[in-house]
Amino acid sequence: MLRTPARTRLRPRTRARTRTTTDAEPGPGTEPGAAPDTSPAPDAAGGPRRPAQAPLWRRLPLRTLAGLVPAVLVAVWVALHRSLMASGLHDMVDADPGWLLAALAGTGLGYVANAVARQGTVLEPLPRGRLLATQFAATAAGQLAPAGLGASAVNLRFLRVNGVPLARSTAALALYSLAESACRVGLLLVLLAAYPHALHAGGLLPDGTGFLLLAAAAAATVAATVLTLVLVRPLRRAVAGFVSAALADARALHARPGRVLALWGGSLVFPLLQACSMAAVARALGLPVAPVHVALAYLAATCAAALVPTPGGIGSVDAALALALVAAGSPTETAASAVLAFRITSVWLPLLPATLTLSALIRRKVL
C-alpha cells in the first residue's frame, strides 16, 4: 500500500523591519509616538539656523544681468560726454522748436527705413514690430563700438534668433552695408553734379602730396589683404565660402522685386532722411547756408568719416561735418553749434529709450 507524503508545513517568513527615520527612538524629553522634530538645529547664539543662500549675482537670471550691461555702458558714456551735451543744449534754447521737431521726425523715420532695408537682405519674413524695435535698440549699441560693430552685432543676433543661419546672417549684414554705402555715395555724387560750387573746399582738402599719401596707404592696405589671403589657406577657404554664399543669396534676393525694392529703397531713403534732419537742425539754428548745401555737406562728411571709424562716429563725423559746414559757407561757431544740436537730436535724446529697449529685448529673448 502506497503512502502519500505528508504535507510539508510551511514556516511563516518573517520580514525584517527596516529601521527608518520614523522608527527612531525618541530622544530624551519626547513622548512615545510623537512626531520627530524637524526644525533646524540652533546655532551657537541659540537662535534657529537659517539655510545658506546663494549670492545675489548667482540668483539673478543671466539674461537679466546681460540686459543691465547696455544701460551701465551707456551711463558711463553719457557721464564722459556730459560737458558736450550741456553745451549743445544751451545752444538749442533759442532754436526754432518746429524745425527741431522736424529733425526728430526725420530721425524716427530713419529707423523705419533701416528696418525696411534689413528685411530686404533676407528671404525669410521677419516680425515687423520686433525688427523695428531692434533697429531702434541698435542705435544704443552703435555708440559702444567703432564702425557700427555694436549695431551689426545686435542685428546679427536678431537674425540668428529668427532662424537665419550664421553664414546667411553675415551675408545679409554685408549686403546691407554695401547697399547703404553705395546709396550714400550715389546721393553725394548726384548733389555734387547738381551743385558743383556748393562746397568751397579750398584749404580744407589735402594737396597733391596728401592725395599721394592716401593713395599709397590704400594700395598698401589692399596689397596686405591680398597677400594674407594668398598665404593663409584656411582664411582663404573661409572667405571664398562666404563670398560664394553671399553671391548666391544676393542672386536669390534680386529675383524677388519686393526684396529689391525694400533693400535699395530703404538704403536710399535712410541717408536722405539723415541729411534732411541735419538741414532741419541748421534751419532751426539759423545757419546761413542753403538746406541743399547742408545736406551735401552732411553726406560728404559721413563718407569721409567712414575712413576713420570711431564708436558712434563721435569725433570723426563731428569734425568732418563741422569742416564741411564751414566749407559750405557757415561761420565756425555756428557750424559747431549745429553739429552739437544734430548730435543731440539724432543720438543723445534717443539714447536712453534705445538703451531701455535693448535691455528689454535681451530679457525677453528677442536678442
Side-chain angles (χ1 to χ4, degrees):
M1 186 172 179
L2 298 176
R3 299 181 59 184
T4 59
R7 182 176 298 176
T8 306
R9 181 176 298 177
L10 298 177
R11 282 187 176 184
R13 299 176 63 182
T14 59
R15 294 183 180 179
R17 291 182 60 188
T18 58
R19 188 179 182 90
T20 61
T21 56
T22 56
D23 299 327
E25 297 180 359
T30 306
E31 298 180 359
D37 187 12
T38 58
S39 59
D43 55 4
R49 182 181 300 171
R50 297 181 179 179
Q53 292 184 354
L56 178 60
W57 65 272
R58 288 187 177 180
R59 286 183 281 135
L60 288 174
L62 181 60
R63 286 192 173 271
T64 301
L65 294 175
L68 295 176
V69 171
V72 173
L73 293 178
V74 169
V76 173
W77 184 91
V78 171
L80 294 176
H81 296 84
R82 61 184 181 274
S83 59
L84 284 176
M85 294 181 65
S87 176
L89 289 174
H90 182 268
D91 294 333
M92 293 174 62
V93 171
D94 298 329
D96 189 344
W99 285 108
L100 291 179
L101 289 177
L104 286 174
T107 301
L109 291 176
Y111 302 135
V112 179
N114 209 345
V116 171
R118 296 286 183 181
Q119 175 62 84
T121 60
V122 292
L123 294 171
E124 294 83 353
L126 301 173
R128 298 178 181 178
R130 294 183 177 183
L131 177 60
L132 181 58
T134 301
Q135 303 316 305
F136 182 55
T139 59
Q143 306 305 312
L144 306 176
L149 293 179
S152 298
V154 170
N155 282 283
L156 178 63
R157 180 59 183 169
F158 177 75
L159 294 176
R160 296 289 292 119
V161 169
N162 284 274
V164 183
L166 179 59
R168 295 186 54 239
S169 299
T170 309
L173 296 181
L175 180 59
Y176 169 80
S177 299
L178 178 62
E180 198 271 339
S181 301
C183 290
R184 188 179 294 269
V185 174
L187 278 175
L188 174 62
L189 294 178
V190 169
L191 289 178
L192 281 176
Y195 303 93
H197 304 292
L199 298 180
H200 307 285
L204 296 179
L205 295 178
D207 53 6
T209 305
F211 278 118
L212 288 178
L213 291 177
L214 290 177
T221 303
V222 172
T225 303
V226 173
L227 184 61
T228 303
L229 293 177
V230 170
L231 296 179
V232 184
R233 189 174 181 180
L235 180 60
R236 184 172 69 252
R237 287 181 177 178
V239 171
F242 169 75
V243 171
S244 62
L247 291 177
D249 283 351
R251 286 193 297 268
L253 286 168
H254 285 79
R256 301 178 61 176
R259 291 294 187 266
V260 175
L261 181 61
L263 172 62
W264 293 100
S267 299
L268 179 64
V269 172
F270 177 61
L272 184 59
L273 286 171
Q274 286 185 320
C276 291
S277 297
M278 180 67 230
V281 169
R283 190 66 181 270
L285 294 178
L287 203 69
V289 180
V292 177
H293 295 183
V294 174
L296 197 155
Y298 172 78
L299 293 173
T302 52
C303 290
L307 302 175
V308 187
T310 57
I314 299 295
S316 60
V317 174
D318 298 338
L321 183 54
L323 289 176
L325 291 176
V326 171
S330 170
T332 304
E333 295 80 4
T334 311
S337 300
V339 170
L340 286 176
F342 175 72
R343 179 65 66 180
I344 289 175
T345 56
S346 62
V347 176
W348 293 344
L349 285 182
L351 190 57
L352 179 58
T355 305
L356 298 178
T357 303
L358 179 60
S359 301
L361 292 178
I362 293 175
R363 289 196 304 269
R364 296 182 179 181
K365 302 182 180 180
V366 177
L367 298 178

